[in-house]
Amino acid sequence: MGKVYLVGAGPGDPDLISVKGLKCIQQADVILYDRLVNEELLSHAKQDADLIFCGKLPDCHFMQQETINAHLVKLAKEGKTVTRLKGGDPFVFGRGAEEAETLADNNIPFEIIPGITSGIAAPAYAGIPVTHRDAGASFAIITGHRREGQEEDTKWESLAKGIDTLAIYMGVGNLPYICGKLLQHGKSEQTPVALVEWGTTVSQRTVTGTLGTIVTIAQKEEVQNPSMIVVGEVVRYRDKIQWFEQQTSKNYYASGAL
């Protein structure tokens, strides 16, 4: 019997993977990796390792989740060391729990290797702390969409009135609905909002506004997935402590690219 490692690859910057996660890549016989995994990490794999892409696009799954689950079981039963490499953290909107359940049901040995999730990392790279003594004593991570056909159960009133900072994943397509719900339940139109596109990568771009303006701004700027939506007063700190995009821009000019 082999073993499966469910590994969080982090939010995009390949240097943000954990030491243990990197070891799992280096030792794997087979790596099944997602769309948002930085492929630079695959350069650390063994020369004879099998690399299997099983990424998903919105409304287009290259490999169905049930097929991925079946592959993990099959490969482990063949005696392989399998690394399931997932963007961010396996247990934060990454379906890692579903895969772990399948492995447990089939008596397959496995380990969970946490990763840095984009709900914390993307704001940090944009100069936005998700907590701050003066502006953010609580934060919540929220999915911006639900499984098709599933009843909407996000507690918008509690989120609007009881949480200081909201980090919303996979929500750009539903941005008008999200902003509308927060406004409907008492959030001020002046509440700062940031959209961090391709967070922690060289393509990172941050667009800011308020709950009352961000939908129009996002449409004008043509913000696309993957993007993290950050709602709360902590967004104001970006004006003072943004660092990554400025650093990337300086390196770009210094390289002679322009």
Side-chain angles (χ1 to χ4, degrees):
M1 180 68 71
K3 187 171 183 178
V4 177
Y5 296 88
L6 303 177
V7 178
D13 183 340
D15 290 341
L16 293 180
I17 194 168
S18 68
V19 173
K20 189 167 186 177
L22 185 59
K23 289 179 179 178
C24 290
I25 293 172
Q26 294 168 333
Q27 297 168 7
D29 298 314
V30 184
I31 300 174
L32 291 86
Y33 65 100
D34 282 347
R35 177 178 71 95
L36 297 180
V37 168
N38 191 318
E39 293 193 13
E40 186 178 326
L41 291 171
L42 301 177
S43 67
H44 297 281
K46 296 190 297 186
Q47 191 170 7
D48 60 348
D50 291 328
L51 307 178
I52 301 174
F53 177 70
C54 46
K56 303 178 183 70
L57 291 165
D59 302 318
C60 177
H61 289 191
F62 184 84
M63 187 181 290
Q64 295 292 330
Q65 187 62 52
E66 293 75 15
T67 304
I68 296 171
N69 294 349
H71 267 64
L72 295 176
V73 172
K74 176 179 179 291
L75 292 166
K77 286 185 174 180
E78 291 174 355
K80 304 288 181 63
T81 297
V82 182
T83 290
R84 174 71 174 103
L85 196 58
K86 307 172 77 66
D89 180 273
F91 279 7
V92 181
F93 307 127
R95 300 190 183 182
E98 297 174 37
E99 294 171 358
E101 284 182 285
T102 297
L103 296 169
D105 289 342
N106 287 273
N107 298 311
I108 304 294
F110 66 91
E111 288 188 29
I112 312 296
I113 315 301
I116 299 175
T117 186
S118 58
I120 297 172
Y125 269 50
I128 301 169
V130 293
T131 65
H132 191 285
R133 284 197 301 171
D134 297 327
S138 60
F139 78 97
I141 54 176
I142 307 149
T143 178
H145 72 87
R146 302 292 293 171
R147 180 183 292 184
E148 187 174 352
Q150 188 169 352
E151 184 179 350
E152 173 62 61
D153 61 359
T154 305
K155 309 301 184 184
W156 289 109
E157 183 173 6
S158 297
L159 293 172
K161 296 179 179 178
I163 305 295
D164 294 326
T165 306
L166 306 178
I168 304 172
Y169 295 62
M170 303 168 287
V172 169
N174 288 332
L175 186 61
Y177 172 79
I178 291 167
C179 293
K181 282 293 184 181
L182 292 172
L183 291 169
Q184 176 186 334
H185 290 287
K187 208 77 168 171
S188 168
E189 285 191 356
Q190 300 306 312
T191 303
V193 180
L195 306 179
V196 188
E197 185 181 74
W198 287 105
T200 79
T201 74
V202 293
S203 300
Q204 178 175 307
R205 178 172 67 130
T206 304
V207 174
T208 59
T210 68
L211 276 179
T213 64
I214 195 63
V215 171
T216 300
I217 293 171
Q219 291 172 347
K220 179 181 178 181
E221 296 294 332
E222 299 182 343
V223 178
Q224 304 292 322
N225 279 315
S227 292
M228 179 61 54
I229 304 169
V230 187
V231 181
E233 294 299 318
V234 292
V235 171
R236 299 187 191 278
Y237 289 92
R238 170 174 164 76
D239 291 340
K240 181 180 290 187
I241 63 174
Q242 60 176 297
W243 61 278
F244 179 69
E245 289 159 56
Q246 293 177 337
Q247 176 178 290
T248 303
S249 177
K250 287 178 182 178
N251 291 342
Y252 185 67
Y253 281 91
S255 71
L258 286 178

